[in-house]
Each structure stands twice: as C-alpha cells, then as structure tokens.
Amino acid sequence: MAQLRQTQSVENRHKLSNTLRNWLPILHSSLSDLGEAMSPFIDANPIIEISSGFEDSFEKLIPKKIGNSSVANTRTEQIEALTFVKKSLYDVLDEQIEAPLFPTPISQKIASFVVCNLDENGYYEGDSEEFCKNNAITIEEFEKVRLRFAHVEPVGVCAKNLLESFLFQLDSSDISDKVYPLAIKVIKDLENIYDYSNEAGFSEVMRVLTTFKNPPAIEYLEESAQVIPDLMIFFNDNDSIEVKLNDAFYPIINIDTSYSIEHDYVSQKIKEAKSLVDALDMRKATLYKVGLMIVEYQYEFFTGGAIMPLTLKTLADEFGHNPSTISRAIANKYIACDRGVYAMKEFFTTAIDEDVSNAAIKEFVIGVIKSENRKKPLSDMKLLELIQDKFKVQMVRRTIAKYRKQLNIAGSSERKKLYHLH
C-alpha cells in the first residue's frame, strides 16, 4: 500500500509539473495572442483540435445587466467599451524591453528611460547626459543600447530625428546591398534628393523611401493595435458587482478520442492534451481571482471614484508568488467595465507617502489647469515641475502627457487657441 501511495504521489507531481510548464506561457500571453502561445503544444500533438471563440459575435457575450453603475453609457458605448481597446505606442514598446535586445538590468533601465522620453511622434527627446550621470555610465554605453531600437517594432521610433529614423527603417527594408550605399547618401542629404536622380539605383531608393513612416509613430497617431479584455466587471440589478471571464473568446480544445489509447504514444499525447486543458483552466482561475481582488481593493473606482494605491506585492502575498510573476501575469491583460476598458496594470499604482496614488496627481493636474493663466497655459514640463514639487516624486514629461491625454486635456498650445476662441 505504501508503494502504491508513493507511485500515485510521483504521478501527481509529474502531472502538476506538466501543467505548470504549460501554464506560465499561457498565463503570460494576452487573450488575443493566446492561440499563438498555445501553438507549440498543439502543433506537437496530433490528437488535439482547436477552435476559436473569436468567430462568435461579441455583442452576444455582453451581460444584459450592464449599465447600473454611477457612470452612464449608451448601449453602443457599452458594446464598444467591452470589445476592443487600443494599445498605445508606449505599451507596444514596453512589451519589447526584454532579452535578447535588452538582456541586462541596466540595458532595460536605459530602454525604459528612452521610451518614457518620447514625444508624440515617437522621437527621443530625453536628457541622456543627466541619466548617464545619475547611473554612472557613459554616453557611449547609453547610445549603444538606444540604437538597438532600430530592431524594435514599430521601426523608426526612439530615433533622435527624421534622418536617424530613416536610417533605422532602411536597415529593416528590402533594399538591395548594391543600392544601400546610395540610400545612405540620399537620406543624409534629403534636401537635395533629386541631385541623385541620375545615379544607378535611384528608382529603387525612391521606392523604399516611400514606404518609410514619417513621423515614425504615425500609425499610433491614427489607429492603434486592438486588444481584447480578459475580464468584464459589471453591476447586477440588485447593485451587486460581478466579475465575469471573457471565456467565450478562449480557444476551445477538443481531444480526438478515436485513437486507441493502448498505444504508448497515444496515451502520452492524451496526457499532454489534458495538461494543456488544465493549464488553460488555471489561467482562467488565476485571472478570475485577480479580478476579484481588484474589485475588493478598487471598489470605489467601479462606483465612480478614484483608483486607490495598490502594490503588486499585496497581490503577490495573497497568491504566494513573487511580485515579478504577478507583474508578468497581468501584463497585456485588460478589464472592461462601465467606465471603459483598462489595462490591469493601471489598478496597481505606486503610492506616494503610503496614501497618495497617481489618481491624486491627475486630480492635481485638473485643478491647476482650471486655474492657469489663459494667456500663458502651463506646458507639460511646467506641470511636471509643479507635481514634483508638491508630491516629492520623480517623474518624466511623457507620463504627464499621458495623464493629460487620459483626462482629455489638450496640450498648452491647443488650450491657448481654445481660450482665445472663447
């Protein structure tokens, strides 16, 4: 009997190990990328068939009782809010700050600084010298890392100017090696571009140049990548709040049972398929629990209030995981509610003095702009200075610009024009 118990224990540990091995990449992927994350497991298993929930109409999946929160929306707005949300340029770049391009802590710190100091067109405008001084590195080391953005999507961003952006894009183009030197010369002398019209290969250079993005972040000024929320949070008729998984958009795994399980190969593949199903269920259970905890800690937000301070460590302690694991688990995950669609990471704020969140900073921005001099509206840099002075926290201009846009507040030059009209 003891031998039997020991054998069962080993089998259970083996099953759990397989499930966990499958679970991590499945947990870390976004809902829209889930099928791609599962493909290595599926491609290697002939008894698995998979279908996608994306074929269904999303409108049919929206709970009928949505709409009883303090923030009113029309039916159309609710449908739009609960279907897709646009990723920002910064979200897309943040996802790429990892190995192999940025494998070390310092390279990731440099890359994050670069991304945090982009203007709205995607050009880098940060104070490199100040950063290098504060981190005891040379400008050469900094630039070596920054130039790796030539290999990041969208190609051309994080360059210092148009010339460098075009050089980034040139290295990723399909231009021939023979014409490449001419393209370099043309890009460095764009003002006199037609002086090279008689050069052999000029037509190919022009063909390639017309495919370049100018400004490099133009696609994020016009239309952004779409993502799908993992969770929906809404109020029922009795004013109780409910957390619902967007599980209808999950890939559906079907195990073909027509094979004979007497063969060792088939038996092994069935075990692997079941482990994959278990891993998918673990993803759902984990994110559902995250949703419940977000509602518990951020209940005021869902009833119309502000997001309260909440650290990843708090959630990690509840789960018994490392904060870095939780950070990866909520990355690229979104929650749909009556107030719109929000990235999960937005519910985790860095508190200032233990009781002030970035929601307080946003309220401060609203207040100072309401009372600003209409003849000389406050720039983002001036807002940054005021915030740092009041809250005693270090931030970057890009964060202020992001907050301002989230609050639907125009830039200083636009506000000046609007004030003049009124």
Side-chain angles (χ1 to χ4, degrees), residues 23-37:
W23 172 64
L24 287 174
I26 288 173
L27 175 65
H28 294 160
S29 68
S30 65
L31 186 52
S32 55
D33 294 334
L34 190 54
E36 184 178 346

Side-chain angles (χ1 to χ4, degrees), residues 67-79:
N68 197 28
S69 81
S70 60
V71 181
N73 284 317
T74 65
R75 177 66 175 167
T76 302
E77 287 171 340
Q78 289 171 13
I79 292 170

Side-chain angles (χ1 to χ4, degrees), residues 166-363:
F166 273 18
L167 292 176
F168 280 10
Q169 295 180 66
L170 180 66
D171 285 341
S172 296
S173 71
D174 62 353
I175 198 164
S176 64
D177 292 341
K178 184 178 179 180
V179 179
Y180 182 84
L182 175 61
I184 294 288
K185 286 198 294 184
V186 170
I187 289 173
K188 290 183 176 180
D189 192 22
L190 284 175
E191 291 183 1
N192 303 304
I193 188 170
Y194 289 104
D195 290 353
Y196 301 89
S197 59
N198 294 325
E199 297 268 0
F202 180 74
S203 59
E204 182 181 349
V205 171
M206 290 300 294
R207 176 188 65 79
V208 171
L209 286 182
T210 57
T211 67
F212 289 178
K213 294 168 184 171
N214 177 29
I218 189 168
E219 64 187 282
Y220 291 89
L221 298 176
E222 297 173 353
E223 184 176 357
S224 299
Q226 292 181 320
V227 293
I228 301 168
D230 272 88
L231 297 170
M232 294 179 285
I233 296 175
F234 56 95
F235 283 84
N236 288 310
D237 288 341
N238 60 2
D239 286 338
S240 65
I241 195 166
E242 184 173 338
V243 178
K244 181 178 175 62
L245 278 167
N246 194 2
D247 53 6
F249 268 62
Y250 273 73
I252 300 168
I253 299 173
N254 298 307
I255 300 175
D256 189 344
T257 58
S258 63
Y259 293 92
S260 172
I261 62 172
E262 294 178 1
H263 293 88
D264 291 341
Y265 175 79
V266 173
S267 178
Q268 178 60 32
K269 290 303 176 183
I270 288 176
K271 288 180 182 178
E272 292 175 4
K274 289 180 178 178
S275 289
L276 189 61
V277 172
D278 290 340
L280 203 58
D281 288 341
M282 284 179 67
R283 174 199 163 94
K284 292 180 180 180
T286 301
L287 292 178
Y288 181 70
K289 185 177 178 183
V290 170
L292 291 176
M293 293 182 65
I294 286 176
V295 168
E296 179 182 349
Y297 285 97
Q298 303 290 4
Y299 186 82
E300 288 187 19
F301 170 81
F302 295 104
T303 57
I307 291 177
M308 301 303 291
L310 174 62
T311 65
L312 284 174
K313 186 177 184 305
T314 301
L315 199 65
D317 290 343
E318 293 272 359
F319 274 87
H321 290 306
N322 189 287
S324 62
T325 302
I326 300 300
S327 177
R328 294 181 67 187
I330 66 172
N332 310 316
K333 311 296 190 306
Y334 293 80
I335 288 176
C337 65
D338 284 354
R339 298 187 68 172
V341 182
Y342 296 83
M344 279 192 185
K345 64 183 181 182
E346 290 189 41
F347 293 97
F348 297 87
T349 60
T350 301
I352 304 167
D353 295 332
E354 300 297 325
D355 59 357
V356 180
S357 71
N358 56 9
I361 294 177
K362 290 180 182 179
E363 290 179 8

Side-chain angles (χ1 to χ4, degrees), residues 26-82:
I26 288 173
L27 175 65
H28 294 160
S29 68
S30 65
L31 186 52
S32 55
D33 294 334
L34 190 54
E36 184 178 346
M38 293 171 60
S39 61
F41 307 106
I42 295 165
D43 294 343
N45 198 325
I47 70 167
I48 292 179
E49 294 177 356
I50 189 166
S51 57
S52 173
F54 287 91
E55 298 166 1
D56 297 326
S57 168
F58 195 93
E59 185 173 355
K60 296 176 183 177
L61 309 177
I62 299 174
K64 302 301 181 185
K65 296 178 181 178
I66 285 183
N68 197 28
S69 81
S70 60
V71 181
N73 284 317
T74 65
R75 177 66 175 167
T76 302
E77 287 171 340
Q78 289 171 13
I79 292 170
E80 291 176 352
L82 292 173

